[in-house]
Amino acid sequence: MRILITGATGLIGSELIRLSIERGWEVNFLSRQRKRIEEGNSQIRGFYWNPATSEIDIRCFEGVDAIVNLAGNNVAHRWTERYKDAILDSRINSLRTLRHALKRSGNTSISHIISASAIGIYPSSLTKLYTEEGPFAQDFLGQVVQQWEREVDTFAAMDLSVTKLRIGLVLATEAGALAPMIKSVKSLTAAPFGNGKQWQSWIHCEDVANMFMFCIEKKCKGVFNAVAPNPIIQKKLLKEVARSLRRPLILPGAPKFLMKLILGEMVTLLFSSQRVSSKKIETLGFTFAHRTINSAIESLLSK
Ligand SMILES: NC(=O)c1ccc[n+]([C@@H]2O[C@H](COP(=O)([O-])OP(=O)(O)OC[C@H]3O[C@@H](n4cnc5c(N)ncnc54)[C@H](OP(=O)(O)O)[C@@H]3O)[C@@H](O)[C@H]2O)c1
């Protein structure tokens, strides 16, 4: 098996490369960073692309069975109007660059594309439990994710099977939402966001990477939530991190208006609440290594 990964230098991509190599798979990856491409070897081959200018090394498709698409500007930055455009454009341009190049290459070995999507497609709610059926949010992130998914769907016209994984809050120690949380708990500056009752549908980094591999191996088509079976509220997640690090939580909840002054519109990410179901992928036989937050945090913090 050889897979082509876009956005491979990021949090999920790095874990996916690690697990693929462990399983004896071969990896091609696309990166905008020429230095990272040079780090490749016979099992991992890097190729240059720049979706902003539609540049791509077409040799990236050689010998590939499936594409994993993870590329996109990180959403956890201040949402200026310019950056909001970049969040959407980076995702659309990446998929278009891939699709046009794949068409030009005349490749016939690639039969499947599995793309990242996000649970930000669901409206914020403290009470609803979301399945893949929706409903879908009309705010900025909701619209970005819907456009992103529609762009992934265009690969079906090229006879590729299309899979979209709506990823939740990915837990890892090196990057993502958990890293700053650990830092603030250690320095006793951690506080819940508001009353901390917003649902966090999290997933361990290893489980999300494994889910991409599961979908490739089992040829799962369609859309699946990539979240662990037991979402928790934000306050509980923080408590679990503090318990594992044996530190007290001493500060009261940080008010939304104050955080909005500091972070701007992006504060939405911290206050939105999505309780999302993992049932659909489990019905197909996917098993989580980390079903509870306790198991996930213990495994990450004991590394
Ligand atoms: N982590 C989460 O909690 C989470 C949750 C929901 C959804 N997701 C989605 O899953 C995907 C992967 O997540 P991640 O956490 O691994 O992301 P990440 O760490 O931010 O990495 C994303 C990768 O995308 C590439 N990239 C960045 N800007 C780009 C641009 N303008 N054009 C093309 N490529 C660009 C970069 O690779 P190069 O610099 O090598 O080109 C980067 O390594 C993302 O699309 C993200 O939105 C993640």
Side-chain angles (χ1 to χ4, degrees):
M1 173 77 69
R2 182 179 282 276
I3 58 174
L4 169 65
I5 311 177
T6 74
T9 60
L11 176 62
I12 300 172
S14 309
E15 184 67 6
L16 181 58
I17 290 186
R18 189 182 71 76
L19 293 179
S20 300
I21 298 306
E22 228 175 69
R23 201 169 301 176
W25 290 12
E26 292 170 312
V27 173
N28 287 4
F29 71 91
L30 283 162
S31 176
R32 299 160 308 154
Q33 305 175 54
R34 292 196 190 271
K35 201 155 176 284
R36 301 297 294 265
I37 294 163
E38 289 157 16
E39 291 166 12
N41 56 47
S42 63
Q43 213 178 348
I44 312 173
R45 296 201 312 233
F47 298 89
Y48 178 77
W49 79 336
N50 184 0
T53 53
S54 310
E55 267 176 278
I56 182 168
D57 183 341
I58 213 156
R59 293 171 300 171
C60 67
F61 299 120
E62 283 170 13
V64 169
D65 304 288
I67 300 173
V68 172
N69 175 56
L70 302 170
N73 273 47
N74 198 305
V75 297
H77 283 275
R78 203 179 175 84
W79 288 0
T80 58
E81 285 311 310
R82 200 170 159 177
Y83 199 76
K84 279 162 83 174
D85 286 346
I87 288 174
L88 177 64
D89 294 349
S90 59
R91 287 169 173 77
I92 302 298
N93 290 340
S94 294
L95 286 162
R96 288 195 181 153
T97 302
L98 260 185
R99 187 162 45 83
H100 293 153
L102 185 58
K103 210 175 249 176
R104 271 202 321 276
S105 74
N107 175 291
T108 52
S109 65
I110 300 173
S111 57
H112 197 174
I113 181 166
I114 302 98
S115 179
S117 173
I119 61 167
I121 197 166
Y122 304 121
S124 180
S125 163
L126 293 175
T127 52
K128 292 203 173 85
L129 173 67
Y130 292 115
T131 67
E132 288 77 357
E133 300 300 310
F136 303 124
Q138 289 313 315
D139 61 2
F140 167 66
L141 265 194
Q143 290 194 19
V144 165
V145 181
Q146 287 175 73
Q147 288 187 59
W148 193 16
E149 290 199 352
R150 279 198 292 273
E151 199 61 42
V152 182
D153 287 337
T154 60
F155 282 79
M158 293 177 68
D159 274 345
L160 265 68
S161 298
V162 173
T163 309
K164 291 160 286 186
L165 295 187
R166 291 187 187 143
I167 303 169
L169 187 75
V170 177
L171 298 185
T173 46
E174 55 278 30
L178 190 60
M181 205 181 280
I182 292 171
K183 214 168 139 190
S184 65
V185 166
K186 281 185 175 166
S187 61
L188 304 183
T189 56
F193 304 134
N195 63 15
K197 288 187 177 165
Q198 54 278 46
W199 285 100
Q200 308 263 276
S201 293
W202 57 276
I203 183 165
H204 191 291
C205 193
E206 197 174 308
D207 277 328
V208 74
N210 261 323
M211 203 180 281
F212 276 94
M213 297 175 76
F214 176 87
C215 288
I216 294 169
E217 280 185 321
K218 305 283 177 207
K219 302 190 191 314
C220 308
K221 267 168 71 166
V223 60
F224 300 94
N225 293 327
V227 296
N230 295 293
I232 47 160
I233 57 170
Q234 195 256 337
K235 199 163 56 176
K236 180 108 190 292
L237 171 60
L238 197 56
K239 272 191 185 156
E240 193 55 40
V241 175
R243 194 191 59 76
S244 287
L245 292 169
R246 297 191 177 78
R247 293 286 208 286
L249 287 175
I250 50 178
L251 296 179
K256 189 172 181 180
F257 79 89
L258 197 66
M259 294 195 66
K260 193 165 181 189
L261 282 179
I262 304 165
L263 299 171
E265 195 186 342
M266 177 272 229
V267 81
T268 315
L269 279 182
L270 309 180
F271 283 82
S272 74
S273 171
Q274 280 105 0
R275 186 170 165 230
V276 176
S277 166
S278 60
K279 280 278 174 303
K280 188 175 172 193
I281 193 81
E282 288 187 279
T283 318
L284 296 187
F286 181 77
T287 53
F288 289 87
H290 303 284
R291 298 181 66 83
T292 63
I293 194 67
N294 181 281
S295 156
I297 298 288
E298 288 294 326
S299 101
L300 289 165
L301 294 184
S302 66
K303 268 187 192 166

